[in-house]
Amino acid sequence: MTPTPHRRASARAVRPAAAPHRRGRLRLAVTLTATVTLAAGLVTGLGAPAFAAHGAASPVPTRAGLDPSLVTGRGATVGFVEQEAEKAVTNGTVIGPSTAAYTLPAEASGRSAVSLKPGQYVQFTLPAATDAITVRYSIPDAPNGGGITAPLEVTGNGYERTMTLTSQYSWLYNAYPFSNDPTLTTSIEPDWWTVECGCAPGSTTTFPAPFRPNHFYDEQRMLLGRTLPAGSILRLTAPTASNASATVIDLLDTQRVGPARAPHGRMVDVLAFGADPSGRHDSADAFDRAIAAATKAHLPVYVPRGTFQVNRHIVVDNVTIEGAGSWYTIIKGHQVSLATPAPDGSVHTGVGFYGKDASAGGSRNVHLSGFAIEGDVRERIDTDQVNGIGGAFDDSTFDGLYIQHTKVGIWLDGPMNDVSITNSQIVDQIADGINFHGGVTDSVVRNNFIRNTGDDALAMWSEKVEDAHDVFDHNTVQTPVLANGIALYGGSDDTVANNLIADPIREGSGIQVGSRFGAEPFTGTITIADNTTVRAGTFELNWNIGLGAIWFYALERNIDADIEVTGDSFLDNTYNAIMLVTDFPVKDQFSITNVHFSNIKVDGTGTSVLSARTAGSASFQNVQARNVGAVGINNCGAFDFTPSGSEFAVQDLGGNTSSGTNTTGPWMAPWELPNTITCDDRPAVVPPPAPSVW
């Protein structure tokens, strides 16, 4: 498994350990779609051309690319309505669906999008009154990297405006930690196994350029300046003179934002201290002065409507900062190269709100709300502190924020206690969305929307000090390009509940519980309840196998805490719904036990409901599965294949039923219990039908 590469404590990741299934040389079994070089740049994808307009004329609202009725009660409650481009009216080309890595469809919401040539359009019917839109799109990179800009016409109901799209924040290449250079033909990590060629470390094998293109999409928001009524047609057109050879539209989010929020009561306005709302001049010093005055007077800071240029960290402690709303108050900065590296290894700085370091006591009583933080991070440098929010905070809240184009949206380095992150959007990150790192306790992440992260969207990482009594609740995660939707690396009495996770791409899946990255052990009770994953159970390119929508990974120690997985739904799983796996070099050293699954719904698996590739055991009660593509339990145990059966035991507590079309009959059949070896290292994949109401 490729190491998850956002770990700031270790700037250089180690080469991947041997895969747990590997018995001999790795074979590349996944089909990688070819990349096509076009005159205006680079674009990669699948699809057949559409010669006439097609699609639905009525609004087709979705959540995570599905009918909202299928995910009721799961994920964040948001102010916008999502519509997928492939379900709208278009004379462009629908690309996908596909899960093939390093292609445009795989990274699209719902695994499909619409590609527009110059002169083509996609149009949406507005389901409600709308004064603001968000377009998720991809345009080609420049031939030598660095991105291009291209226009997109927005028209409807007498409204005409042009967006300027950019690919400056998308298009990464090569192996971790990635490159912005599409012309490289050798791996930038020669010490790692290279799966495409089965090359051992040290190989100098060359590959066709671009090698491993990824992170294709970006999004752009626009206030319309007027309200379009429900039923209006909003058309997105790639102009005939566009310099982009293809403009790919993934989806459109529409909403009624309403007016900017006015100050209330006595507040300290940053304008009084010289902040420039036009964005022409740097306002960092003015923010510092306003914060100092507010702290002295025990008043909150108000940041009014405008775009404020800030090109460094704003250090906050014992202060409240409120904006006019994340659509109106934008705090935006350039990434700045440091003359000499900082003590923490950073070689750049940029816009961000930081608490004091935990070693200095951290910050407390910090409350940030109602503004956007827009960074300028275009490459991944793990030592850089260029996060939207960072540092250590106690008794603090972050609410109603929009964070885009930073390295990590919110990375908190503990120890710290009582942090609340709510009602925010974090999008288009080079690495994680939110990471509780090392000793974050009694904290909550609730009702946030996270899309297009370059690593785990939500993570609790108990490195050296455990995260404890934390909750990830009612969040929506879409299209994490690398790693997992939600990941727990050690911790005590933590809860993941009521979340919606869709379309993980590679080297991860929907939910992971892992003993890895130097994490402390799992202790107490870990609760994973009432979550829904959609189109997870992805293909693991390094191991050459499919993962589970939820997967447990014992790499560095046993996983033996009480883990309760209850009330979850795993929908449209590309491979397995559930996987428990131990890395092959330690397969006879570590195990996974004490995991309990109950009241689970599995709607469609390309392969199995359960893939067991470890020693240990788990219990199952009222796990309903339908449309299962392979044997219900693929039990390989620790791959020792002893006469007594697998080293992994399945405990049937009753109520485990099957329906629909199942390849081999009931998913949990008596002959499979408790530990029959049913190991098929790479079973054939049977794509499941689309999920439906149970």
Side-chain angles (χ1 to χ4, degrees):
M1 175 62 69
T2 298
T4 305
H6 59 266
R7 314 304 172 202
R8 189 171 58 79
S10 177
R12 181 177 174 83
V14 297
R15 74 175 281 260
H21 68 277
R22 198 173 285 153
R23 292 171 289 160
R25 186 164 178 164
L26 181 66
R27 306 186 310 273
L28 179 63
V30 64
T31 300
L32 300 180
T33 300
T35 300
V36 181
T37 303
L38 299 173
L42 302 169
V43 64
T44 177
L46 299 171
F51 297 101
H54 59 90
S58 300
V60 187
T62 57
R63 292 186 64 213
L66 291 179
D67 186 315
S69 65
L70 297 176
V71 293
T72 300
R74 306 290 168 89
T77 299
V78 295
F80 58 82
V81 177
E82 168 193 284
Q83 293 193 73
E84 297 281 343
E86 66 272 17
K87 298 178 181 179
V89 174
T90 183
N91 64 350
T93 300
V94 174
I95 60 173
S98 175
T99 58
Y102 313 124
T103 65
L104 280 157
E107 290 192 19
S109 172
R111 311 292 194 195
S112 192
V114 169
S115 180
L116 305 177
K117 295 179 181 178
Q120 293 182 325
Y121 67 87
V122 58
Q123 69 182 33
F124 303 83
T125 302
L126 300 182
T130 297
D131 64 5
I133 65 172
T134 300
V135 179
R136 186 168 193 253
Y137 68 90
S138 177
I139 59 174
D141 198 358
N144 293 310
I148 64 171
T149 60
L152 181 70
E153 294 174 352
V154 181
T155 58
N157 242 33
Y159 180 87
E160 294 184 11
R161 193 165 168 186
T162 299
M163 275 184 164
T164 299
L165 308 181
T166 181
S167 54
Q168 293 168 337
Y169 299 101
S170 48
W171 291 92
L172 298 176
Y173 306 91
N174 217 288
Y176 166 79
F178 314 116
S179 167
N180 297 111
D181 186 354
T183 68
L184 293 177
T185 58
T186 57
S187 175
I188 61 174
E189 281 291 353
D191 294 337
W192 288 9
W193 180 275
T194 305
V195 65
E196 283 83 351
C197 61
C199 301
S203 170
T204 57
T205 300
T206 60
F207 304 94
F211 177 46
R212 294 185 180 177
N214 69 93
H215 215 284
F216 304 116
Y217 289 89
D218 199 8
E219 63 184 59
Q220 189 170 142
R221 303 189 300 170
M222 187 169 72
L223 287 167
L224 299 180
R226 57 178 285 192
T227 299
L228 300 181
S232 299
I233 302 298
L234 195 72
R235 176 175 287 195
L236 307 179
T237 303
T240 54
S242 175
N243 56 307
S245 56
T247 299
V248 176
I249 305 298
D250 181 22
L251 55 79
L252 177 74
D253 294 332
T254 57
Q255 65 188 105
R256 180 83 176 268
V257 174
R261 190 165 59 204
H264 56 88
R266 294 181 63 206
M267 305 183 79
V268 174
D269 193 321
V270 296
L271 297 184
F273 294 83
D276 175 13
S278 74
R280 288 191 294 269
H281 303 290
D282 194 305
S283 294
D285 291 347
F287 271 66
D288 286 345
R289 292 191 294 269
I291 290 168
T295 302
K296 184 176 180 179
H298 305 289
L299 293 174
V301 174
Y302 179 68
V303 188
R305 182 172 184 164
T307 298
F308 298 86
Q309 182 187 154
V310 172
N311 299 317
R312 60 168 171 83
H313 297 172
I314 301 296
V315 178
V316 288
D317 185 22
N318 193 32
V319 68
T320 296
I321 304 175
E322 298 181 13
S326 68
W327 280 85
Y328 296 108
T329 300
I330 300 169
I331 302 170
K332 186 180 182 71
H334 303 294
Q335 182 166 283
V336 178
S337 296
L338 300 176
T340 58
D344 62 11
S346 294
V347 295
H348 299 96
T349 189
V351 62
F353 289 80
Y354 272 69
K356 295 186 294 187
D357 193 84
S359 64
S363 294
R364 66 177 56 251
N365 193 33
V366 173
H367 307 283
L368 308 178
S369 66
F371 56 87
I373 303 170
E374 296 185 5
D376 187 32
V377 178
R378 309 181 191 196
E379 59 184 333
R380 180 160 184 161
I381 300 175
D382 281 343
T383 55
D384 273 355
Q385 284 284 357
V386 286
N387 306 319
I389 296 174
F393 301 86
D394 288 294
D395 307 317
S396 296
T397 62
F398 311 123
D399 180 74
L401 303 175
Y402 178 88
I403 306 177
Q404 183 185 35
H405 296 155
T406 56
K407 187 181 79 172
V408 175
I410 302 175
W411 181 289
L412 302 181
D413 287 308
M416 68 185 77
N417 184 72
D418 187 24
V419 176
S420 174
I421 304 171
T422 54
N423 307 314
S424 296
Q425 291 179 246
I426 299 175
V427 299
D428 303 325
Q429 300 295 304
I430 287 287
D432 302 45
I434 299 172
N435 194 305
F436 282 0
H437 176 227
V440 181
T441 58
D442 297 300
S443 295
V444 63
V445 176
R446 178 172 288 125
N447 204 60
N448 301 285
F449 182 88
I450 301 173
R451 181 161 61 201
N452 194 35
T453 56
D455 218 305
D456 295 324
L458 297 175
M460 301 182 198
W461 180 23
S462 297
E463 186 182 37
K464 298 181 181 177
V465 184
E466 70 177 11
D467 294 335
H469 312 292
D470 296 323
V471 176
F472 288 167
D473 173 61
H474 276 101
N475 303 288
T476 296
V477 171
Q478 289 183 302
T479 60
V481 175
L482 182 74
N484 305 281
I486 298 178
L488 304 184
Y489 305 120
S492 178
D493 294 309
D494 294 318
T495 298
V496 174
N498 305 299
N499 300 286
L500 173 60
I501 304 146
D503 298 312
I505 313 299
R506 57 190 177 88
E507 287 145 81
S509 194
I511 301 172
Q512 183 186 20
V513 177
S515 63
R516 57 192 308 200
F517 305 123
E520 294 297 298
F522 290 101
T523 60
T525 299
I526 305 299
T527 302
I528 301 172
D530 301 315
N531 305 282
T532 294
T533 67
V534 183
R535 295 177 297 273
T538 52
F539 190 84
E540 212 315 296
L541 292 165
N542 296 290
W543 288 350
N544 200 19
I545 60 171
L547 298 178
I550 183 170
W551 63 301
F552 300 79
Y553 182 32
L555 175 62
E556 297 171 351
R557 61 175 78 237
N558 293 328
I559 297 177
D560 54 12
D562 176 23
I563 300 179
E564 302 291 334
V565 184
T566 181
D568 300 282
S569 297
F570 304 119
L571 309 182
D572 195 1
N573 305 280
T574 307
Y575 287 84
N576 310 288
I578 300 164
M579 172 180 273
L580 300 95
V581 57
T582 299
D583 207 20
F584 198 80
V586 294
K587 67 183 182 64
D588 298 317
Q589 182 178 352
F590 300 136
S591 63
I592 302 173
T593 57
N594 211 20
V595 184
H596 309 285
F597 297 88
S598 62
N599 303 315
I600 303 293
K601 289 187 170 74
V602 176
D603 192 348
T605 65
T607 53
S608 300
V609 174
L610 168 64
S611 177
R613 310 173 77 88
T614 180
S617 62
S619 69
F620 297 82
Q621 184 174 30
N622 297 327
V623 176
Q624 303 175 59
R626 64 186 182 191
N627 303 317
V628 178
V631 63
I633 302 173
N634 189 9
N635 195 340
C636 298
F639 287 88
D640 292 328
F641 305 117
T642 66
S644 59
S646 168
E647 299 85 355
F648 187 87
V650 177
Q651 184 180 10
D652 180 3
L653 299 182
N656 299 302
T657 61
S658 300
S659 60
T661 302
N662 300 296
T663 301
T664 62
W667 85 265
M668 182 178 284
W671 64 269
E672 296 172 304
L673 305 175
N675 66 331
T676 303
I677 296 172
T678 57
C679 187
D680 185 345
D681 209 26
R682 296 176 183 87
V685 177
V686 179
S692 58
V693 176
W694 205 275

